[in-house]
Amino acid sequence: MRKLILAIGGSLVIAAPVATADVVGVGANVSYWDSDLSGKAGKNNRVVDVENDLDLESDTNANLNAYLEHPVPLLPNVRLNYTRIEQSGRGELSTEFDVLPNGAEVDSDLDLSQFDVTLYYEVLDNWANLDLGVTARNLDGELIVREQATTARVSKTEVDGVIPMGYLAARFDLPFTGVSVGGEANLISFDGDSVYDYNAYGQYELSLLQLRAGYRQISIDYEDSDDRLDIELGGPFVSAGLTF
């Protein structure tokens, strides 16, 4: 992880002198993400399949995003992002999991939230746009699995940590149309853990209104003590926002 942080920091030092911004820019958007879930959860060296055993399905996937850009030299721009994922399901275990026996019928709830603070520079700012930066992500996840036959048997898997990540965003504008295509990515991999979060989108701007539609994928392989989440979420999203 130290090597990755040093590499990202070095990239930002190189990017800062060539960063460009002419005016102050402020924007915010809200999006709905229709994601499918797959992967596994681990507790005390026992593993359960979150899709096939727990049959988790999306309840709510909300995302809020806001940013501030400015023309002050060497001072990075700021982006805030919050993602909340709630999934629930009823299933039957095909193996023992924590205190729950093989074959148990269970109710499950997954609650996963991510809050990002990103510092970045605009390396390019014309019809081709390129941002480079670093993100501090507060990852907070909880999976609760309850046996339907009794309320006494409950398993709780938790992950909680602040994760440093590299940030990259690129966008290409079709001049005089308001139409553009782009993508964003946050990523890190260290000590057997990894988190990847990327999206690709098409965008249309009309005056202050910004509309997007695209695809987002999150991959989390993260271990916290005896608890582990190794999951992927992916699917289409739509968003609406305002830019000033």
Side-chain angles (χ1 to χ4, degrees), residues 89-147:
R90 287 194 149 195
E92 181 178 335
L93 298 182
S94 61
T95 183
E96 293 183 2
F97 180 63
D98 195 15
V99 298
L100 304 172
N102 183 10
E105 295 183 343
V106 294
D107 293 325
S108 305
D109 294 289
L110 173 67
D111 190 346
L112 180 67
S113 65
Q114 300 179 155
F115 180 68
D116 295 353
V117 177
T118 300
L119 305 179
Y120 68 97
Y121 292 102
E122 290 185 289
V123 179
L124 295 175
D125 185 19
N126 42 62
W127 69 271
N129 301 268
L130 178 63
D131 299 341
L132 295 176
V134 292
T135 295
R137 169 167 295 182
N138 183 26
L139 176 66
D140 185 6
E142 180 181 74
L143 173 66
I144 298 177
V145 185
R146 303 179 182 87
E147 187 176 9

Side-chain angles (χ1 to χ4, degrees), residues 42-92:
K43 180 76 174 180
N44 298 322
N45 296 319
R46 291 180 175 175
V47 176
V48 65
D49 189 301
V50 298
E51 181 182 20
N52 297 324
D53 290 339
L54 305 184
D55 198 23
L56 288 172
E57 295 182 354
S58 176
D59 289 339
T60 303
N61 292 336
N63 186 82
L64 303 174
N65 184 73
Y67 68 86
L68 170 65
E69 296 178 344
H70 57 81
V72 181
L74 302 183
L75 189 64
N77 303 301
V78 180
R79 180 180 297 271
L80 305 177
N81 188 283
Y82 177 74
T83 300
R84 179 70 177 271
I85 299 163
E86 294 181 336
Q87 303 218 351
S88 60
R90 287 194 149 195
E92 181 178 335

Side-chain angles (χ1 to χ4, degrees), residues 137 139 163 165 186-188 193-197 219-221:
R137 169 167 295 182
L139 176 66
I163 304 171
M165 307 176 73
N186 280 290
L187 56 93
I188 192 170
D193 295 336
S194 62
V195 180
Y196 302 97
D197 185 349
S219 175
I220 300 172
D221 185 356

Side-chain angles (χ1 to χ4, degrees), residues 203-217:
Q203 177 176 288
Y204 179 67
E205 291 191 36
L206 179 64
S207 185
L208 301 179
L209 180 64
Q210 182 187 84
L211 302 175
R212 283 186 181 182
Y215 183 89
R216 184 180 182 185
Q217 179 91 21

